[in-house]
Amino acid sequence: MSFPATLDYMGLNKPVGREVSIKGLKPSEGSIPADVKGVFFRAVPDPQFEPFFVPDTALSDDGMISRVLFNEDGTVDYDIKFVQTPRWKAENAAGKRLFGRYRNPYTNDPSVEGVEGTVSNTTPIWHAGTLLMTKEDGPAHRIDPFTLDTIGAYDFGGVLKSKTMTAHVRIDPDTQEMFVYGYEADGLCSATMAYWWTDKDGKLVREQWFEAPFCSLVHDFVITEHYAIFPLQPTVADLGIVKAKGAHWIHHPELEYHVGIMPLRGDVKDMRWFKGPKGVSSFHMMNAFETPDGKVHMDHHVTDTIAFPHIRADSGIDVPPQKLGGGFQRWTMDMAAEGDGIAVTPLGPPGDMPRIANADQGRAYKQGYYCSMNPQMMGPPVMGGVVGAMFSALLRVDFQTGAIIGYNLPPAHGMSETVHVDASEPGHEGWLVGVVDHETGPDQYEHAIWIWNAGNLPAGPVCKVPIPTRMRPQVHGWWVPMKDYLAAKAA
Ligand code: V55
Ligand code: FE
């Protein structure tokens, strides 16, 4: 197969496409903390076949579900399999790519008309013993957590009406209810959004639809104790453009970032829309919380314009990656006052892939973690991943002191998003577990799982477990403690 010579398919992003199973791995340095027993599920995009619409984007690569199992005996097992979506099956049977441009059915091979086109490549979600692979443009696909085989599209027991489900859900730490949404809920480029939640057992409680101010790329959302918050970046889908075989997303520098806020278990008719700065973008929210003065605060990673180079190109926005401004920001919306303004407070340097302890979801919190770039990097970043460059630093934000300190990866190292693992020891912040890639030579990579003490990142990793196979960069991950994993097995 010959993939195009673009960053989407070169270097670390070179397609691997191999299902592997490796058992009994051991640390090369340090030892695995006793708290780290369970499963690190990872979503890894990897294309089966080369695209015929060029340039394509890594966002369209087929989803693979990867499992890093931290066994009771201190060994680690590594497995990865393709998510067998209808699209994967159709293309596998044809022996070639049939779907064209990113989320543009008008560029597909006619043989796949009506075939679901999602690749489920973004986040593995675990709730109530059910494992899902998700992507925001279609239904989730249910995965057997033990065989990693695909069970099929998931519609919450036949009741969900939305045609799409986000890759970013939120789980209330007190009730274990799962809060979910979908955009383009009733069809391509529609501004209709769906919002639903389930009880702790995964049973859908209520699904509602509402009209958003525009069809936005709503990649993540966030909850507080009493509110659901929908962040609509000014990145817009237009059916006319898509029908003309154009881009799904056009970023609009003149349009305000909109934030919709409604009661968490309430009615969509009570949605209130706030307006932030024009033309800015953000994909991931670290957290949100309320203060007694009636304000809602949302912490997220903002860029001055859209972070994806292909969307900038399609939107006629000429900003090279190194000129992309932005930072970690707190946006505050006043629910006790009239008006639609948003107050912006800078919190820290640019980055992405925020993580918090599950118990802090939606509550005032003391610390959070995210990936960033090493400011003293010697040499270029390791190229790879969906935006083209891997992260090279892991930061801890202390919200009480405002201090942000962390750990810089050595030169020629890059990392994907971590997962947070709780500690049993009271007062211990827990652990961060992630994959680190080392570029050992031109087109040569070594990969390992690294584990950090979340409360002491500058000390460096406490443990490294080499994974002796070529790994493609991950998007998001999910941690499942061993007792939850085994309970699902018994079910
Ligand atoms: C993102 C990722 C996607 C996607 C849309 O990280 C946005 C943002 C991996 O797929 O389809
Ligand atoms: Fe995401």
Side-chain angles (χ1 to χ4, degrees), residues 244-277:
K245 302 188 195 297
H248 193 99
W249 295 120
I250 300 293
H251 190 71
H252 287 249
E254 77 294 351
L255 181 61
E256 289 98 350
Y257 193 119
H258 284 51
V259 177
I261 307 187
M262 61 168 278
L264 185 63
R265 298 175 189 82
D267 204 298
V268 291
K269 75 172 179 352
D270 294 324
M271 185 82 71
R272 224 177 120 176
W273 289 101
F274 293 82
K275 287 181 187 171

PDB file of all heavy atoms in Angstrom, residues 244-277:
ATOM      1  N   ALA A 244     -21.182  20.239  -2.317  1.00  0.00           N
ATOM      2  CA  ALA A 244     -20.262  20.571  -3.418  1.00  0.00           C
ATOM      3  C   ALA A 244     -18.909  19.862  -3.227  1.00  0.00           C
ATOM      4  O   ALA A 244     -17.907  20.288  -3.806  1.00  0.00           O
ATOM      5  CB  ALA A 244     -20.084  22.082  -3.496  1.00  0.00           C
ATOM      6  N   LYS A 245     -18.891  18.804  -2.433  1.00  0.00           N
ATOM      7  CA  LYS A 245     -17.690  17.998  -2.141  1.00  0.00           C
ATOM      8  C   LYS A 245     -16.625  18.793  -1.388  1.00  0.00           C
ATOM      9  O   LYS A 245     -15.438  18.481  -1.436  1.00  0.00           O
ATOM     10  CB  LYS A 245     -17.091  17.395  -3.425  1.00  0.00           C
ATOM     11  CG  LYS A 245     -18.077  16.508  -4.207  1.00  0.00           C
ATOM     12  CD  LYS A 245     -17.326  15.805  -5.336  1.00  0.00           C
ATOM     13  CE  LYS A 245     -18.236  15.188  -6.398  1.00  0.00           C
ATOM     14  NZ  LYS A 245     -19.114  14.126  -5.938  1.00  0.00           N
ATOM     15  N   GLY A 246     -17.061  19.844  -0.675  1.00  0.00           N
ATOM     16  CA  GLY A 246     -16.128  20.678   0.078  1.00  0.00           C
ATOM     17  C   GLY A 246     -15.881  20.129   1.474  1.00  0.00           C
ATOM     18  O   GLY A 246     -16.255  19.003   1.808  1.00  0.00           O
ATOM     19  N   ALA A 247     -15.261  20.971   2.308  1.00  0.00           N
ATOM     20  CA  ALA A 247     -14.874  20.568   3.657  1.00  0.00           C
ATOM     21  C   ALA A 247     -16.083  20.530   4.588  1.00  0.00           C
ATOM     22  O   ALA A 247     -16.999  21.349   4.464  1.00  0.00           O
ATOM     23  CB  ALA A 247     -13.843  21.542   4.205  1.00  0.00           C
ATOM     24  N   HIS A 248     -16.053  19.598   5.530  1.00  0.00           N
ATOM     25  CA  HIS A 248     -17.129  19.542   6.528  1.00  0.00           C
ATOM     26  C   HIS A 248     -17.081  20.771   7.436  1.00  0.00           C
ATOM     27  O   HIS A 248     -18.114  21.327   7.786  1.00  0.00           O
ATOM     28  CB  HIS A 248     -17.005  18.265   7.363  1.00  0.00           C
ATOM     29  CG  HIS A 248     -18.220  17.981   8.194  1.00  0.00           C
ATOM     30  ND1 HIS A 248     -19.185  17.094   7.811  1.00  0.00           N
ATOM     31  CD2 HIS A 248     -18.633  18.508   9.365  1.00  0.00           C
ATOM     32  CE1 HIS A 248     -20.145  17.085   8.726  1.00  0.00           C
ATOM     33  NE2 HIS A 248     -19.834  17.930   9.684  1.00  0.00           N
ATOM     34  N   TRP A 249     -15.880  21.188   7.818  1.00  0.00           N
ATOM     35  CA  TRP A 249     -15.739  22.278   8.795  1.00  0.00           C
ATOM     36  C   TRP A 249     -15.074  23.497   8.192  1.00  0.00           C
ATOM     37  O   TRP A 249     -14.044  23.381   7.540  1.00  0.00           O
ATOM     38  CB  TRP A 249     -14.898  21.821   9.995  1.00  0.00           C
ATOM     39  CG  TRP A 249     -15.526  20.735  10.799  1.00  0.00           C
ATOM     40  CD1 TRP A 249     -15.011  19.490  11.027  1.00  0.00           C
ATOM     41  CD2 TRP A 249     -16.782  20.783  11.494  1.00  0.00           C
ATOM     42  NE1 TRP A 249     -15.874  18.773  11.815  1.00  0.00           N
ATOM     43  CE2 TRP A 249     -16.972  19.545  12.111  1.00  0.00           C
ATOM     44  CE3 TRP A 249     -17.770  21.769  11.638  1.00  0.00           C
ATOM     45  CZ2 TRP A 249     -18.102  19.244  12.871  1.00  0.00           C
ATOM     46  CZ3 TRP A 249     -18.899  21.474  12.388  1.00  0.00           C
ATOM     47  CH2 TRP A 249     -19.053  20.221  12.995  1.00  0.00           C
ATOM     48  N   ILE A 250     -15.680  24.662   8.445  1.00  0.00           N
ATOM     49  CA  ILE A 250     -15.056  25.942   8.129  1.00  0.00           C
ATOM     50  C   ILE A 250     -15.004  26.735   9.436  1.00  0.00           C
ATOM     51  O   ILE A 250     -16.025  26.879  10.118  1.00  0.00           O
ATOM     52  CB  ILE A 250     -15.871  26.731   7.070  1.00  0.00           C
ATOM     53  CG1 ILE A 250     -16.001  25.936   5.755  1.00  0.00           C
ATOM     54  CG2 ILE A 250     -15.237  28.105   6.831  1.00  0.00           C
ATOM     55  CD1 ILE A 250     -14.709  25.726   4.991  1.00  0.00           C
ATOM     56  N   HIS A 251     -13.826  27.209   9.790  1.00  0.00           N
ATOM     57  CA  HIS A 251     -13.692  28.006  11.004  1.00  0.00           C
ATOM     58  C   HIS A 251     -14.002  29.471  10.695  1.00  0.00           C
ATOM     59  O   HIS A 251     -13.565  29.995   9.679  1.00  0.00           O
ATOM     60  CB  HIS A 251     -12.273  27.860  11.567  1.00  0.00           C
ATOM     61  CG  HIS A 251     -12.144  28.451  12.935  1.00  0.00           C
ATOM     62  ND1 HIS A 251     -12.730  27.870  14.029  1.00  0.00           N
ATOM     63  CD2 HIS A 251     -11.539  29.587  13.372  1.00  0.00           C
ATOM     64  CE1 HIS A 251     -12.482  28.624  15.092  1.00  0.00           C
ATOM     65  NE2 HIS A 251     -11.769  29.676  14.717  1.00  0.00           N
ATOM     66  N   HIS A 252     -14.787  30.122  11.578  1.00  0.00           N
ATOM     67  CA  HIS A 252     -15.262  31.494  11.338  1.00  0.00           C
ATOM     68  C   HIS A 252     -14.666  32.474  12.352  1.00  0.00           C
ATOM     69  O   HIS A 252     -15.193  32.619  13.458  1.00  0.00           O
ATOM     70  CB  HIS A 252     -16.793  31.537  11.434  1.00  0.00           C
ATOM     71  CG  HIS A 252     -17.473  30.903  10.268  1.00  0.00           C
ATOM     72  ND1 HIS A 252     -18.190  31.622   9.333  1.00  0.00           N
ATOM     73  CD2 HIS A 252     -17.532  29.616   9.859  1.00  0.00           C
ATOM     74  CE1 HIS A 252     -18.658  30.808   8.408  1.00  0.00           C
ATOM     75  NE2 HIS A 252     -18.286  29.576   8.699  1.00  0.00           N
ATOM     76  N   PRO A 253     -13.590  33.195  11.982  1.00  0.00           N
ATOM     77  CA  PRO A 253     -12.937  34.138  12.918  1.00  0.00           C
ATOM     78  C   PRO A 253     -13.872  35.259  13.387  1.00  0.00           C
ATOM     79  O   PRO A 253     -13.656  35.844  14.444  1.00  0.00           O
ATOM     80  CB  PRO A 253     -11.786  34.724  12.085  1.00  0.00           C
ATOM     81  CG  PRO A 253     -11.567  33.763  10.974  1.00  0.00           C
ATOM     82  CD  PRO A 253     -12.889  33.131  10.681  1.00  0.00           C
ATOM     83  N   GLU A 254     -14.952  35.543  12.628  1.00  0.00           N
ATOM     84  CA  GLU A 254     -15.833  36.669  12.966  1.00  0.00           C
ATOM     85  C   GLU A 254     -16.987  36.239  13.876  1.00  0.00           C
ATOM     86  O   GLU A 254     -17.754  37.080  14.342  1.00  0.00           O
ATOM     87  CB  GLU A 254     -16.386  37.296  11.673  1.00  0.00           C
ATOM     88  CG  GLU A 254     -17.523  36.534  10.980  1.00  0.00           C
ATOM     89  CD  GLU A 254     -17.160  35.156  10.390  1.00  0.00           C
ATOM     90  OE1 GLU A 254     -15.964  34.805  10.345  1.00  0.00           O
ATOM     91  OE2 GLU A 254     -18.097  34.416  10.009  1.00  0.00           O
ATOM     92  N   LEU A 255     -17.087  34.961  14.170  1.00  0.00           N
ATOM     93  CA  LEU A 255     -18.223  34.450  14.960  1.00  0.00           C
ATOM     94  C   LEU A 255     -17.791  34.201  16.414  1.00  0.00           C
ATOM     95  O   LEU A 255     -16.698  33.686  16.662  1.00  0.00           O
ATOM     96  CB  LEU A 255     -18.714  33.138  14.318  1.00  0.00           C
ATOM     97  CG  LEU A 255     -19.903  32.409  14.931  1.00  0.00           C
ATOM     98  CD1 LEU A 255     -21.165  33.271  14.918  1.00  0.00           C
ATOM     99  CD2 LEU A 255     -20.164  31.097  14.178  1.00  0.00           C
ATOM    100  N   GLU A 256     -18.674  34.565  17.351  1.00  0.00           N
ATOM    101  CA  GLU A 256     -18.342  34.341  18.759  1.00  0.00           C
ATOM    102  C   GLU A 256     -18.404  32.853  19.115  1.00  0.00           C
ATOM    103  O   GLU A 256     -19.250  32.120  18.616  1.00  0.00           O
ATOM    104  CB  GLU A 256     -19.339  35.051  19.701  1.00  0.00           C
ATOM    105  CG  GLU A 256     -19.224  36.542  19.738  1.00  0.00           C
ATOM    106  CD  GLU A 256     -20.245  37.200  18.841  1.00  0.00           C
ATOM    107  OE1 GLU A 256     -20.913  36.477  18.050  1.00  0.00           O
ATOM    108  OE2 GLU A 256     -20.371  38.436  18.911  1.00  0.00           O
ATOM    109  N   TYR A 257     -17.542  32.453  20.034  1.00  0.00           N
ATOM    110  CA  TYR A 257     -17.637  31.144  20.679  1.00  0.00           C
ATOM    111  C   TYR A 257     -18.882  31.215  21.576  1.00  0.00           C
ATOM    112  O   TYR A 257     -19.022  32.148  22.372  1.00  0.00           O
ATOM    113  CB  TYR A 257     -16.384  30.947  21.522  1.00  0.00           C
ATOM    114  CG  TYR A 257     -16.134  29.549  22.042  1.00  0.00           C
ATOM    115  CD1 TYR A 257     -14.983  28.857  21.686  1.00  0.00           C
ATOM    116  CD2 TYR A 257     -17.016  28.930  22.926  1.00  0.00           C
ATOM    117  CE1 TYR A 257     -14.724  27.596  22.192  1.00  0.00           C
ATOM    118  CE2 TYR A 257     -16.765  27.668  23.425  1.00  0.00           C
ATOM    119  CZ  TYR A 257     -15.616  27.005  23.050  1.00  0.00           C
ATOM    120  OH  TYR A 257     -15.360  25.753  23.555  1.00  0.00           O
ATOM    121  N   HIS A 258     -19.804  30.302  21.436  1.00  0.00           N
ATOM    122  CA  HIS A 258     -21.047  30.309  22.224  1.00  0.00           C
ATOM    123  C   HIS A 258     -20.988  29.220  23.309  1.00  0.00           C
ATOM    124  O   HIS A 258     -20.474  28.129  23.064  1.00  0.00           O
ATOM    125  CB  HIS A 258     -22.260  30.021  21.332  1.00  0.00           C
ATOM    126  CG  HIS A 258     -22.683  31.180  20.471  1.00  0.00           C
ATOM    127  ND1 HIS A 258     -21.823  31.883  19.661  1.00  0.00           N
ATOM    128  CD2 HIS A 258     -23.912  31.752  20.293  1.00  0.00           C
ATOM    129  CE1 HIS A 258     -22.485  32.839  19.029  1.00  0.00           C
ATOM    130  NE2 HIS A 258     -23.758  32.779  19.388  1.00  0.00           N
ATOM    131  N   VAL A 259     -21.537  29.521  24.474  1.00  0.00           N
ATOM    132  CA  VAL A 259     -21.608  28.530  25.558  1.00  0.00           C
ATOM    133  C   VAL A 259     -23.061  28.443  26.023  1.00  0.00           C
ATOM    134  O   VAL A 259     -23.633  29.445  26.465  1.00  0.00           O
ATOM    135  CB  VAL A 259     -20.696  28.915  26.739  1.00  0.00           C
ATOM    136  CG1 VAL A 259     -20.840  27.903  27.884  1.00  0.00           C
ATOM    137  CG2 VAL A 259     -19.235  29.002  26.295  1.00  0.00           C
ATOM    138  N   GLY A 260     -23.663  27.253  25.899  1.00  0.00           N
ATOM    139  CA  GLY A 260     -25.037  27.033  26.354  1.00  0.00           C
ATOM    140  C   GLY A 260     -25.027  26.377  27.730  1.00  0.00           C
ATOM    141  O   GLY A 260     -24.282  25.425  27.957  1.00  0.00           O
ATOM    142  N   ILE A 261     -25.840  26.913  28.647  1.00  0.00           N
ATOM    143  CA  ILE A 261     -25.901  26.342  30.006  1.00  0.00           C
ATOM    144  C   ILE A 261     -27.353  26.063  30.371  1.00  0.00           C
ATOM    145  O   ILE A 261     -28.220  26.938  30.227  1.00  0.00           O
ATOM    146  CB  ILE A 261     -25.274  27.293  31.058  1.00  0.00           C
ATOM    147  CG1 ILE A 261     -23.850  27.688  30.623  1.00  0.00           C
ATOM    148  CG2 ILE A 261     -25.264  26.645  32.435  1.00  0.00           C
ATOM    149  CD1 ILE A 261     -23.071  28.488  31.663  1.00  0.00           C
ATOM    150  N   MET A 262     -27.620  24.843  30.837  1.00  0.00           N
ATOM    151  CA  MET A 262     -28.972  24.459  31.254  1.00  0.00           C
ATOM    152  C   MET A 262     -28.899  23.612  32.522  1.00  0.00           C
ATOM    153  O   MET A 262     -27.843  23.083  32.862  1.00  0.00           O
ATOM    154  CB  MET A 262     -29.674  23.679  30.139  1.00  0.00           C
ATOM    155  CG  MET A 262     -28.978  22.386  29.759  1.00  0.00           C
ATOM    156  SD  MET A 262     -29.976  21.318  28.697  1.00  0.00           S
ATOM    157  CE  MET A 262     -31.024  20.513  29.913  1.00  0.00           C
ATOM    158  N   PRO A 263     -30.008  23.495  33.225  1.00  0.00           N
ATOM    159  CA  PRO A 263     -30.013  22.659  34.433  1.00  0.00           C
ATOM    160  C   PRO A 263     -29.640  21.210  34.089  1.00  0.00           C
ATOM    161  O   PRO A 263     -30.146  20.655  33.110  1.00  0.00           O
ATOM    162  CB  PRO A 263     -31.446  22.739  34.938  1.00  0.00           C
ATOM    163  CG  PRO A 263     -32.007  23.982  34.312  1.00  0.00           C
ATOM    164  CD  PRO A 263     -31.316  24.126  32.994  1.00  0.00           C
ATOM    165  N   LEU A 264     -28.771  20.616  34.917  1.00  0.00           N
ATOM    166  CA  LEU A 264     -28.194  19.305  34.622  1.00  0.00           C
ATOM    167  C   LEU A 264     -29.257  18.234  34.323  1.00  0.00           C
ATOM    168  O   LEU A 264     -29.137  17.487  33.366  1.00  0.00           O
ATOM    169  CB  LEU A 264     -27.317  18.857  35.800  1.00  0.00           C
ATOM    170  CG  LEU A 264     -26.536  17.564  35.607  1.00  0.00           C
ATOM    171  CD1 LEU A 264     -25.530  17.690  34.473  1.00  0.00           C
ATOM    172  CD2 LEU A 264     -25.819  17.173  36.895  1.00  0.00           C
ATOM    173  N   ARG A 265     -30.282  18.163  35.168  1.00  0.00           N
ATOM    174  CA  ARG A 265     -31.334  17.173  34.959  1.00  0.00           C
ATOM    175  C   ARG A 265     -32.630  17.868  34.532  1.00  0.00           C
ATOM    176  O   ARG A 265     -33.722  17.395  34.811  1.00  0.00           O
ATOM    177  CB  ARG A 265     -31.558  16.348  36.227  1.00  0.00           C
ATOM    178  CG  ARG A 265     -30.322  15.556  36.637  1.00  0.00           C
ATOM    179  CD  ARG A 265     -30.489  14.820  37.961  1.00  0.00           C
ATOM    180  NE  ARG A 265     -29.221  14.259  38.407  1.00  0.00           N
ATOM    181  CZ  ARG A 265     -28.284  14.948  39.060  1.00  0.00           C
ATOM    182  NH1 ARG A 265     -28.458  16.221  39.368  1.00  0.00           N
ATOM    183  NH2 ARG A 265     -27.156  14.348  39.406  1.00  0.00           N
ATOM    184  N   GLY A 266     -32.451  19.038  33.880  1.00  0.00           N
ATOM    185  CA  GLY A 266     -33.611  19.864  33.562  1.00  0.00           C
ATOM    186  C   GLY A 266     -34.045  19.764  32.125  1.00  0.00           C
ATOM    187  O   GLY A 266     -33.795  18.771  31.437  1.00  0.00           O
ATOM    188  N   ASP A 267     -34.687  20.857  31.701  1.00  0.00           N
ATOM    189  CA  ASP A 267     -35.345  20.911  30.417  1.00  0.00           C
ATOM    190  C   ASP A 267     -34.544  21.792  29.449  1.00  0.00           C
ATOM    191  O   ASP A 267     -34.119  22.884  29.831  1.00  0.00           O
ATOM    192  CB  ASP A 267     -36.740  21.520  30.658  1.00  0.00           C
ATOM    193  CG  ASP A 267     -37.704  21.103  29.591  1.00  0.00           C
ATOM    194  OD1 ASP A 267     -37.454  21.450  28.412  1.00  0.00           O
ATOM    195  OD2 ASP A 267     -38.678  20.416  29.932  1.00  0.00           O
ATOM    196  N   VAL A 268     -34.372  21.355  28.222  1.00  0.00           N
ATOM    197  CA  VAL A 268     -33.567  22.123  27.253  1.00  0.00           C
ATOM    198  C   VAL A 268     -34.168  23.504  26.983  1.00  0.00           C
ATOM    199  O   VAL A 268     -33.469  24.405  26.531  1.00  0.00           O
ATOM    200  CB  VAL A 268     -33.377  21.374  25.911  1.00  0.00           C
ATOM    201  CG1 VAL A 268     -32.469  20.166  26.109  1.00  0.00           C
ATOM    202  CG2 VAL A 268     -34.713  20.971  25.309  1.00  0.00           C
ATOM    203  N   LYS A 269     -35.463  23.681  27.286  1.00  0.00           N
ATOM    204  CA  LYS A 269     -36.067  25.009  27.064  1.00  0.00           C
ATOM    205  C   LYS A 269     -35.451  26.049  28.005  1.00  0.00           C
ATOM    206  O   LYS A 269     -35.546  27.251  27.752  1.00  0.00           O
ATOM    207  CB  LYS A 269     -37.590  24.967  27.187  1.00  0.00           C
ATOM    208  CG  LYS A 269     -38.113  24.855  28.613  1.00  0.00           C
ATOM    209  CD  LYS A 269     -39.622  25.012  28.614  1.00  0.00           C
ATOM    210  CE  LYS A 269     -40.281  24.898  29.982  1.00  0.00           C
ATOM    211  NZ  LYS A 269     -39.513  24.490  31.152  1.00  0.00           N
ATOM    212  N   ASP A 270     -34.768  25.607  29.052  1.00  0.00           N
ATOM    213  CA  ASP A 270     -34.124  26.536  29.990  1.00  0.00           C
ATOM    214  C   ASP A 270     -32.659  26.815  29.638  1.00  0.00           C
ATOM    215  O   ASP A 270     -31.916  27.369  30.453  1.00  0.00           O
ATOM    216  CB  ASP A 270     -34.228  25.998  31.417  1.00  0.00           C
ATOM    217  CG  ASP A 270     -35.681  25.974  31.891  1.00  0.00           C
ATOM    218  OD1 ASP A 270     -36.425  26.900  31.511  1.00  0.00           O
ATOM    219  OD2 ASP A 270     -36.070  25.024  32.606  1.00  0.00           O
ATOM    220  N   MET A 271     -32.246  26.434  28.435  1.00  0.00           N
ATOM    221  CA  MET A 271     -30.872  26.727  27.993  1.00  0.00           C
ATOM    222  C   MET A 271     -30.660  28.235  27.910  1.00  0.00           C
ATOM    223  O   MET A 271     -31.502  28.962  27.394  1.00  0.00           O
ATOM    224  CB  MET A 271     -30.655  26.130  26.597  1.00  0.00           C
ATOM    225  CG  MET A 271     -29.236  26.259  26.081  1.00  0.00           C
ATOM    226  SD  MET A 271     -28.147  24.988  26.722  1.00  0.00           S
ATOM    227  CE  MET A 271     -28.768  23.540  25.845  1.00  0.00           C
ATOM    228  N   ARG A 272     -29.508  28.698  28.437  1.00  0.00           N
ATOM    229  CA  ARG A 272     -29.129  30.101  28.334  1.00  0.00           C
ATOM    230  C   ARG A 272     -27.837  30.184  27.532  1.00  0.00           C
ATOM    231  O   ARG A 272     -26.895  29.445  27.815  1.00  0.00           O
ATOM    232  CB  ARG A 272     -28.874  30.625  29.753  1.00  0.00           C
ATOM    233  CG  ARG A 272     -29.483  31.974  29.999  1.00  0.00           C
ATOM    234  CD  ARG A 272     -29.237  32.374  31.426  1.00  0.00           C
ATOM    235  NE  ARG A 272     -28.463  33.605  31.421  1.00  0.00           N
ATOM    236  CZ  ARG A 272     -28.139  34.281  32.510  1.00  0.00           C
ATOM    237  NH1 ARG A 272     -28.511  33.835  33.692  1.00  0.00           N
ATOM    238  NH2 ARG A 272     -27.451  35.387  32.427  1.00  0.00           N
ATOM    239  N   TRP A 273     -27.790  31.070  26.548  1.00  0.00           N
ATOM    240  CA  TRP A 273     -26.592  31.151  25.698  1.00  0.00           C
ATOM    241  C   TRP A 273     -25.724  32.342  26.082  1.00  0.00           C
ATOM    242  O   TRP A 273     -26.213  33.462  26.193  1.00  0.00           O
ATOM    243  CB  TRP A 273     -26.993  31.245  24.219  1.00  0.00           C
ATOM    244  CG  TRP A 273     -27.555  29.937  23.718  1.00  0.00           C
ATOM    245  CD1 TRP A 273     -28.873  29.624  23.546  1.00  0.00           C
ATOM    246  CD2 TRP A 273     -26.817  28.761  23.370  1.00  0.00           C
ATOM    247  NE1 TRP A 273     -29.010  28.324  23.112  1.00  0.00           N
ATOM    248  CE2 TRP A 273     -27.762  27.768  22.983  1.00  0.00           C
ATOM    249  CE3 TRP A 273     -25.454  28.427  23.344  1.00  0.00           C
ATOM    250  CZ2 TRP A 273     -27.382  26.488  22.587  1.00  0.00           C
ATOM    251  CZ3 TRP A 273     -25.084  27.143  22.931  1.00  0.00           C
ATOM    252  CH2 TRP A 273     -26.044  26.201  22.563  1.00  0.00           C
ATOM    253  N   PHE A 274     -24.439  32.079  26.265  1.00  0.00           N
ATOM    254  CA  PHE A 274     -23.450  33.116  26.560  1.00  0.00           C
ATOM    255  C   PHE A 274     -22.507  33.224  25.360  1.00  0.00           C
ATOM    256  O   PHE A 274     -22.363  32.263  24.599  1.00  0.00           O
ATOM    257  CB  PHE A 274     -22.651  32.743  27.817  1.00  0.00           C
ATOM    258  CG  PHE A 274     -23.476  32.745  29.074  1.00  0.00           C
ATOM    259  CD1 PHE A 274     -24.264  31.634  29.417  1.00  0.00           C
ATOM    260  CD2 PHE A 274     -23.483  33.849  29.921  1.00  0.00           C
ATOM    261  CE1 PHE A 274     -25.029  31.628  30.570  1.00  0.00           C
ATOM    262  CE2 PHE A 274     -24.249  33.848  31.083  1.00  0.00           C
ATOM    263  CZ  PHE A 274     -25.029  32.739  31.406  1.00  0.00           C
ATOM    264  N   LYS A 275     -21.864  34.406  25.229  1.00  0.00           N
ATOM    265  CA  LYS A 275     -20.962  34.603  24.096  1.00  0.00           C
ATOM    266  C   LYS A 275     -19.557  34.977  24.565  1.00  0.00           C
ATOM    267  O   LYS A 275     -19.378  35.942  25.313  1.00  0.00           O
ATOM    268  CB  LYS A 275     -21.493  35.699  23.174  1.00  0.00           C
ATOM    269  CG  LYS A 275     -22.708  35.246  22.376  1.00  0.00           C
ATOM    270  CD  LYS A 275     -23.194  36.349  21.457  1.00  0.00           C
ATOM    271  CE  LYS A 275     -24.506  35.946  20.801  1.00  0.00           C
ATOM    272  NZ  LYS A 275     -25.104  37.075  20.080  1.00  0.00           N
ATOM    273  N   GLY A 276     -18.573  34.204  24.111  1.00  0.00           N
ATOM    274  CA  GLY A 276     -17.175  34.460  24.439  1.00  0.00           C
ATOM    275  C   GLY A 276     -16.491  35.200  23.302  1.00  0.00           C
ATOM    276  O   GLY A 276     -17.156  35.754  22.431  1.00  0.00           O
ATOM    277  N   PRO A 277     -15.147  35.192  23.312  1.00  0.00           N
ATOM    278  CA  PRO A 277     -14.389  35.897  22.273  1.00  0.00           C
ATOM    279  C   PRO A 277     -14.692  35.339  20.878  1.00  0.00           C
ATOM    280  O   PRO A 277     -15.093  34.182  20.729  1.00  0.00           O
ATOM    281  CB  PRO A 277     -12.927  35.618  22.649  1.00  0.00           C
ATOM    282  CG  PRO A 277     -12.951  35.191  24.078  1.00  0.00           C
ATOM    283  CD  PRO A 277     -14.285  34.554  24.313  1.00  0.00           C
TER     284      PRO A 277
END
